Amino acid sequence: DAKTTQPNSMESNEEEPVHLPCNHSTISGTDYIHWYRQLPSQGPEYVIHGLTSNVNNRMASLAIAEDRKSSTLILHRATLRDAAVYYCILRVRAPGGSQGNLIFGKGTKLSVKP
Amino acid sequence: DTGVSQDPRHKITKRGQNVTFRCDPISEHNRLYWYRQTLGQGPEFLTYFQNEAQLEKSRLLSDRFSAERPKGSFSTLEIQRTEQGDSAMYLCASSLTTGSDNQPQHFGDGTRLSIL
C-alpha cells in the first residue's frame, strides 16, 4: 500500500471546525482513501472513505484534491469527544472487491480545548 | 448490534507462559482480522480469516503465535512462551465481504497483554 503523511498533532477549540490533512503523493488510481480514528483506550473506529469525489456522512466530510495526492478530513464542529488519533489509510481496490488488512501509520493526535 | 467483543480485556502473565485471547466478531461478518498495537504506534496487521480459512499472515506472526477460527465464527489467538516484546494491545476486527469494495472494519476494544 502507498504511504501517507500526516501531522503528528493538532489542536482545536470546541465547536469550531477542524481540518485534518493527509498527503499521499504516491497514490495510485485504484487506491481508496480511508479514515479511522481511535479514542483513548478503545479500538479504531471507521470514519469515512472515498475514491475521487468529496464524501459526507454523519461523522465527517472528506475533501479529496483533484490530483488525489492529498485529502482533508473535516469535522464540522469539534466536540470534546472528538479528541482522538486520526489515521489516514490507502487501500487498494482489488478485482472482485477483495480487500485485506489496513496499514496504519502513526496518525494525527487531535486535542480539543473547551 | 453487539459489536466486536474481545476477552479478556487485560492479561498479566509471567515471561514464558502461554496466553490465549478470544474474539467474537459481529455475527454476520465473514472476515476476521488480528492486529497488534504498541504504545504510540498505529495498529500492525497480524493475520486474517475469511470464514474458517486463514488467508494471510504477517511476518510479525512468529511461530510462537497461532490463530484459529474453527467454525468461521469466533477466533482465538495463542502466544506460546511469551516474551517481554509481546507486551502490547491485541486488537480484533471484523468485516463483511459482499463483493463491493472497501467495507469498513469494525474493531473491538482489544486485549492488553503485560509480560512481567
Side-chain angles (χ1 to χ4, degrees), chain B residues 19-22 34 46 61 65-67 75-79 90:
Chain B
V19 294
T20 301
F21 312 138
R22 177 180 170 121
W34 285 99
L46 292 178
L61 209 68
F65 287 69
S66 62
S75 175
T76 58
L77 177 68
E78 181 183 17
I79 309 174
Y90 289 84

Side-chain angles (χ1 to χ4, degrees), chain A residues 15-50:
Chain A
E15 298 188 3
E16 290 185 357
V18 182
H19 291 232
L20 295 162
C22 181
N23 287 320
H24 28 79
S25 57
T26 58
I27 191 171
S28 75
T30 54
D31 288 342
Y32 278 79
I33 302 158
H34 283 245
W35 285 82
Y36 282 72
R37 72 179 185 180
Q38 189 171 20
L39 279 64
S41 301
Q42 294 187 22
E45 173 188 28
Y46 168 79
V47 177
I48 199 167
H49 77 272

Side-chain angles (χ1 to χ4, degrees), chain A residues 52-65:
Chain A
T52 55
S53 304
N54 295 344
V55 184
N56 300 296
N57 67 19
R58 62 175 180 82
M59 290 181 70
S61 296
L62 177 60
I64 301 173

Side-chain angles (χ1 to χ4, degrees), chain A residues 32 34 36 38 41-46 49 87 91-94 96-102 104-106, chain B residues 9 31 33 35 37 40-43 45 48 56 91 95-97 99-105 107-109:
Chain A
Y32 278 79
H34 283 245
Y36 282 72
Q38 189 171 20
S41 301
Q42 294 187 22
E45 173 188 28
Y46 168 79
H49 77 272
Y87 297 99
R91 296 189 79 191
V92 175
R93 180 182 183 183
S98 173
Q99 78 260 205
N101 55 291
L102 298 169
F104 291 81
K106 290 189 178 181
Chain B
R9 290 296 311 276
R31 286 210 173 179
Y33 307 79
Y35 293 82
Q37 185 174 25
Q41 305 294 317
F45 168 74
Y48 88 89
E56 187 176 348
L91 292 160
S95 69
L96 178 64
T97 301
S100 64
D101 293 330
N102 289 273
Q103 294 299 310
Q105 293 184 15
F107 284 80
D109 286 336

Side-chain angles (χ1 to χ4, degrees), chain B residues 43-72:
Chain B
E44 297 172 292
F45 168 74
L46 292 178
T47 188
Y48 88 89
F49 294 83
Q50 178 151 321
N51 300 312
E52 64 275 9
Q54 190 172 14
L55 295 187
E56 187 176 348
K57 291 194 283 188
S58 159
R59 288 173 298 173
L60 292 175
L61 209 68
S62 76
D63 56 7
R64 295 185 299 106
F65 287 69
S66 62
E68 293 183 345
R69 195 183 183 199
K71 297 182 180 178

